[in-house]
Amino acid sequence: MAHSGISVLLEGTNFTRLLGGLWVTVKIAAIALIVGIVLGIILGVLRTFKNRPLRLILRLYLEFFRIVPTVVLLFLFYYILPRQMNFNLPADQLATLVFALWVAAEMSDIVRGALISVPKHQRESGMAIGLNRYQLYRYVLIPQAISLEIPATINLATRVIKTTSLLMLISVMDVINIGQQIIEANNHSHPTGVFWVYGLIFLFYFLIDYPLSWWAKRLEKKRLERANG
Amino acid sequence: MSSSWNIIQQSLPMFEKGFVLTLWLSFVGIIGSIIVGLICSLVQYFKVPVLHQIASIYIEISRNTPLLIQLFFLYYAFPVIGIKFGAQLCGIIGLIFLGGSYMAEGFTGGFNGVTKSQVESGKAIGLSRWQLAKYVVFPQGFSLSVPAMAANVIFLIKETSIFTVIAIPELTNTALDLIGMYYRSNEYLFVLVVGYAIILIPLSIILTLLEKRVRYGSFGN
Amino acid sequence: MADKVLEVEHLEKYYQKKHVLFDINLSIQQGEVVTLLGPSGSGKSTLIRCLNGLEEYQKGTIIFEGKKIVPTEKNWQQIRQKIGMVFQSYDLFPNLTVIDNILLGPIKVQKQDKSAARVEAKKLLKSVDLEDYADVYPRELSGGQKQRVAIVRALALHPDFMLFDEVTASLDPEMVRGILNIIKGLANMDNMTMIVVTHEMNFAQEIADRVVFLENGHILEQTPAKQFFSKPKTDRAQAFLDSMDF
């Protein structure tokens, strides 16, 4: 017997299962962001140092993550870590690792960009009053770079959240994977269920990402207004 | 067991097909995205009633949802309400749906980047709104938007890897299929990464050069 | 009595809640040179930007050549062809060559004959010693050269009236004289009507027929230039003059 599609969401535990999947998605994104941002800040600061080989290595690291599509990154880690290095991780932890490394790469570029855009005379004034390198970064450069970094970092977060949609490809039980299971299980009774399940997931993503990108836009606008006096 | 080199060699004709398909879908998708983005940004610049609001809503939806879900919707959900496309057409439509908003934001960012004093100088010599757009805002705005456009082009090419979820036999799908059949992940992943590198490294070098040229050309005031 | 080119009556301007211009009354005769003086932030630039429709005003009237201006964007667009304006930041269009910067208004806005406009533009360039720079892009010019082109760009529209907004403020000192001489030439030889906002007191003294002194958005006094620089009417203006070295 065929029901109207939308009721598939309310049947049994379907809705709570989807929310559970969403939680997995959000958790992976959140941990990857926290780890990646911290690592990225360190790498970004290192990239402003004069040491050439270090800068080159970090640049290559960034470019690798920039060139290789995230889908491919996931599969590289998914196949190569366990088989070549005998390093077995559950799929969700593996995905968190990949995302964190990717976030670190992107974040290092955001941080570096913000740091080098602090006017040169600020750096010189700091050195002129005898600050050492750590103090220079801690009290002069990083505080001024932060207002530049925050909108870009929020935008990076929205990208990471969108990219979590790829988790299903390596069999993480995320919101999309659970959605597919529900669709398949109810295909017979709710032939239009697919529309509503994907519709709901679509909405979930939008509800998480839209406020974030709105926030980033607002901060950026304020910053530009301040910069233009 | 055959050597890695043999495995790679035997797979090359299949990868070649995937490579060409990736290029083709990217090309069509990027051109389409630029057209959609241009229309949206113009509609927003001139604040065309109704269309301007529609463009804003479209941009927010497109930018804040993943391509993968957009594709699932097109490919699996739309047929339920009687709208059916082949996989490749779905891929192209999805990529344009996604890319259009990124391109629109890129153009709009460029137009907004034209300084207030430039606009005022244009007004001061009596230019109309349309003339101001044509002679001052658009020429400068387009060159200002080149870096964002370049980033979008690279981004969209990479996004075509997601087409594998609706079984379009592009590069990534080719590699995953081969791994599934022959279980030689190292070799096929290697060819896959090289495939993307062949497209993206030269392209990003060209785009960087273009950016430099444009910057030199227009930021001299 | 000479014709009045511009009259401003009871003009008031707000930025959101902030009141920045208070009951401005001003009239300018044909051929007259008025300099607007006052401390930074007194509203000088805001006032002359209102006269060109670049700022909206909330109350009051502007009458240009005997006609009350209805402040719509379309009307302003017509009127701006008659009121030339030059800015502190020169703002040549970087995407156009020098000559195309100058010709944009005459050809596209006023639909002047192309070859005639070009001949005239070259003549104007020659008058500011830039005849060899017609086909270069603005980025190849120095600040002083850019500002000379910006003046020519405004003049090419045959304005009846010119506004100069701190046109020498971002130039190197050695460039300033050349620009000021051009403006002086316009005032003396061409009898151009103009309002000049400047911090160059010597120049103001040389060129002005009348000084309008602004402070905190109020016109404190309007005095013939000779009298203003020897003995202004208000203590505030005296204090201002004392604070400037010239």
Side-chain angles (χ1 to χ4, degrees), chain C:
Chain C
M1 192 172 128
D3 289 339
K4 281 178 184 161
V5 176
L6 183 92
E7 293 160 87
V8 180
E9 291 171 354
H10 305 296
L11 185 126
E12 309 257 348
K13 157 102 189 140
Y14 296 80
Y15 282 121
Q16 278 100 38
K17 289 255 166 65
K18 201 174 159 215
H19 202 161
V20 290
L21 290 177
F22 299 82
D23 193 28
I24 301 293
N25 292 284
L26 188 66
S27 83
I28 292 158
Q29 315 282 324
Q30 172 67 44
E32 194 180 15
V33 176
V34 170
T35 52
L36 273 183
L37 298 181
S40 320
S42 57
K44 301 174 305 251
S45 284
T46 309
L47 174 55
I48 75 164
R49 289 162 58 82
C50 284
L51 303 183
N52 204 12
L54 292 176
E55 299 281 352
E56 294 179 355
Y57 46 93
Q58 281 67 37
K59 272 188 210 150
T61 336
I62 299 176
I63 299 162
F64 181 65
E65 296 183 335
K67 268 190 273 186
K68 186 183 158 191
I69 294 174
V70 181
T72 62
E73 194 53 38
K74 252 212 148 70
N75 287 336
W76 273 121
Q77 198 188 306
Q78 294 303 315
I79 294 159
R80 283 179 191 133
Q81 298 173 40
K82 298 264 157 205
I83 306 180
M85 182 159 183
V86 185
F87 302 86
Q88 173 180 342
S89 53
Y90 0 109
D91 270 282
L92 299 182
F93 305 122
N95 48 311
L96 302 175
T97 58
V98 165
I99 190 93
D100 287 338
N101 263 279
I102 298 167
L103 290 174
L104 188 57
I107 291 180
K108 298 299 174 186
V109 178
Q110 297 185 326
K111 318 282 182 208
Q112 291 180 24
D113 175 65
K114 273 185 198 166
S115 48
R118 184 171 283 272
V119 170
E120 203 208 329
K122 291 248 170 134
K123 220 169 74 193
L124 283 167
L125 273 177
K126 194 167 158 51
S127 72
V128 296
D129 296 326
L130 288 172
E131 67 268 39
D132 297 335
Y133 293 85
D135 297 314
V136 308
Y137 281 90
R139 64 168 179 273
E140 296 166 53
L141 301 181
S142 72
Q145 291 171 325
K146 282 180 197 166
Q147 194 58 294
R148 281 187 264 161
V149 174
I151 293 172
V152 167
R153 180 173 68 179
L155 292 175
L157 292 158
H158 306 294
D160 297 341
F161 181 41
M162 287 289 292
L163 303 169
F164 291 95
D165 188 6
E166 308 246 21
V167 292
T168 57
S170 37
L171 293 179
D172 292 333
E174 62 265 37
M175 305 282 187
V176 170
R177 201 65 242 174
I179 299 295
L180 297 183
N181 284 338
I182 291 170
I183 299 174
K184 221 162 85 181
L186 271 176
N188 297 338
M189 323 273 274
D190 304 306
N191 208 23
M192 178 66 82
T193 315
M194 56 178 84
I195 298 183
V196 181
V197 174
T198 184
H199 281 118
E200 303 276 339
M201 287 301 139
N202 284 317
F203 172 64
Q205 200 168 3
E206 279 173 50
I207 195 178
D209 297 319
R210 178 157 50 112
V211 172
V212 173
F213 182 73
L214 246 85
E215 193 177 62
N216 297 326
H218 296 271
I219 293 185
L220 292 195
E221 65 169 283
Q222 303 195 35
T223 314
K226 268 209 178 85
Q227 187 192 335
F228 183 87
F229 286 102
S230 54
K231 195 180 180 331
K233 293 179 198 160
T234 57
D235 296 343
R236 295 298 309 138
Q238 185 63 55
F240 172 76
L241 285 175
D242 292 343
S243 73
M244 310 294 287
D245 41 42
F246 63 97

Side-chain angles (χ1 to χ4, degrees), chain A residues 191-204:
Chain A
T192 59
V194 57
F195 202 83
W196 298 100
V197 172
Y198 284 144
L200 182 69
I201 297 172
F202 197 87
L203 187 68
F204 278 158

